[in-house]
Amino acid sequence: MTSPARQLRGKDERAPVALSDRAMDNLRFIRETMERSASFTHVSGIGGVAMGLVAVAAAWAASRTTSDGAWLSIWLGAAGASFALSAFLMGRKSRAEGVALLSGPGRRFAWSMTPALAAGGVLTAALARGGHFGLLPGTWLLLYGASIVTGGSHSVRPVPVMGMAFMLAGVAALASPPAWGDAYMAAAFGGLHVVFGLLIWRKHGG
Amino acid sequence: MAASSGAVRRRSLEPAERAPGNLDAVHGRTQESGPLELDQLIHERVRLGIVSALAVNGSLTFTDLRDLLGTTDGNLSAHARRLEDAGYVACKKSFDGRTPRTEYGLTEVGKRALNAYLDHMEAIIDATRE
């Protein structure tokens, strides 16, 4: 609908406004196309390898504990250390390429991962409270994989493929005896991170 | 006011497809500085999309561009060919295993053309604000 102020203007004055709108629309189109097309390429290959090594160490330590509380603390500590390491190394890779980590694609990557990770946090609390520690490894692998698949849809191809591998590992862990939990965690959080980390490092930089 | 001083030639702006071929009176420009030509090659939406996407990616495959711009194979192919003929994009054909792969990249000429187009849009906005 035409605004009253606009109706008062003469015909000659309306055209430049429309032209300006069109120019702004063109600039908006360019910016949106650039943002949509940009992949999040700052997933750190070195970060993946580092996370894998942390997971292998945690699996070794967790397999030696006898209390569920200590077992859970080790894995939560490993998750925190991995997150911090990964964020630091992604930030370093972004800075090296002169791009803000949380620019358009990076922000979409982070937001896309959040729902599945948040669901994992809630399920961890619920399962631990009910004493179902044996279900935790499969749940973590499945939801971490889901978060990587969704986040990875804005990133380079090895990332969502890694997410799917994690999801398959999660399904296998949930279908296996609970005692195999640490082995699955070492194989997936350790092995998959190292393998895909090296692949990303080689193809898309550290 | 910009409009009354003829900041932009209005007659050449309608309809959009035929839009401004020779905007030589954008505010701040003189006849001596040369006409401010709107690059019709980039102005078309699909071609503008191709050039914009390639500006932030080293290269993109035909499939990437088609999915990104939501266009058909034939349409993308025709527009990409026009950009290629003008030297704005470079096309590289290869095989990924047995699958043919067409990859596009923006040339220096294409980068300069996009920058000129961005400058042009900004000049229009500035001119109509004053």
Side-chain angles (χ1 to χ4, degrees), chain B:
Chain B
M1 175 104 191
S4 58
S5 64
V8 178
R9 274 191 190 169
R10 195 159 60 84
R11 192 175 293 171
S12 61
L13 300 176
E14 301 290 345
E17 280 304 307
R18 276 187 275 115
N22 189 11
L23 300 178
D24 54 359
V26 169
H27 185 78
R29 292 181 67 84
T30 62
Q31 291 294 335
E32 289 72 33
S33 67
L36 189 58
E37 293 279 348
L38 181 66
D39 189 340
Q40 293 290 344
L41 204 64
I42 281 191
H43 188 57
E44 197 283 330
R45 273 290 159 110
V46 174
R47 294 196 289 269
L48 185 58
I50 294 171
V51 172
S52 303
L54 291 176
V56 286
N57 293 277
S59 63
L60 287 172
T61 64
F62 184 89
T63 315
D64 289 338
L65 282 169
R66 184 197 61 199
D67 296 345
L68 175 74
L69 301 171
T71 185
T72 61
D73 284 7
N75 196 26
L76 178 63
S77 185
H79 287 299
R81 173 64 62 86
R82 286 198 65 181
L83 290 170
E84 207 185 332
D85 289 345
Y88 286 10
V89 302
C91 172
K92 197 173 83 183
K93 289 181 192 289
S94 60
F95 279 88
D96 189 1
R98 289 185 176 180
T99 315
R101 182 183 166 95
T102 306
E103 220 166 340
Y104 293 99
L106 198 61
T107 63
E108 276 306 315
V109 177
K111 280 178 199 165
R112 280 201 300 273
L114 179 62
N115 283 335
Y117 186 82
L118 289 170
D119 288 346
H120 196 152
M121 291 299 116
E122 283 166 5
I124 290 172
I125 293 167
D126 287 347
T128 51
R129 270 184 189 152
E130 286 164 18

Side-chain angles (χ1 to χ4, degrees), chain A residues 11-20 22-27 29-31 33-39 157, chain B residues 1 3 8 10 13-14 16 19 43 45 48-49 52-53 55-57 68-69 114 117-118 121-122 124-125 128:
Chain A
K11 225 178 174 182
D12 287 344
E13 286 180 329
R14 280 207 301 273
V17 175
L19 175 61
S20 169
R22 198 178 302 155
M24 276 195 263
D25 184 49
N26 283 339
L27 290 180
F29 173 76
I30 291 169
R31 193 187 65 231
T33 306
M34 285 178 166
E35 281 186 1
R36 271 189 297 128
S37 70
S39 296
R157 187 163 293 181
Chain B
M1 175 104 191
V8 178
R10 195 159 60 84
L13 300 176
E14 301 290 345
H43 188 57
R45 273 290 159 110
L48 185 58
S52 303
V56 286
N57 293 277
L68 175 74
L69 301 171
L114 179 62
Y117 186 82
L118 289 170
M121 291 299 116
E122 283 166 5
I124 290 172
I125 293 167
T128 51

Side-chain angles (χ1 to χ4, degrees), chain A residues 79-164:
Chain A
S82 294
F83 178 79
L85 257 174
S86 164
F88 169 75
L89 290 166
M90 280 198 287
R92 196 179 69 164
K93 188 173 176 182
S94 302
R95 275 195 303 278
E97 292 178 19
V99 180
L101 180 60
L102 292 180
S103 60
R107 198 168 50 243
R108 280 203 304 275
F109 180 80
W111 275 116
S112 303
M113 286 186 75
T114 304
L117 290 179
V122 172
L123 278 174
T124 299
L127 291 172
R129 200 170 60 179
H132 305 296
F133 289 92
L135 292 175
L136 283 174
T139 307
W140 287 339
L141 291 169
L142 191 60
L143 289 173
Y144 179 71
S147 77
I148 295 291
V149 169
T150 52
S153 62
H154 306 292
S155 187
V156 291
R157 187 163 293 181
V159 179
V161 173
M162 178 174 77
M164 280 186 261

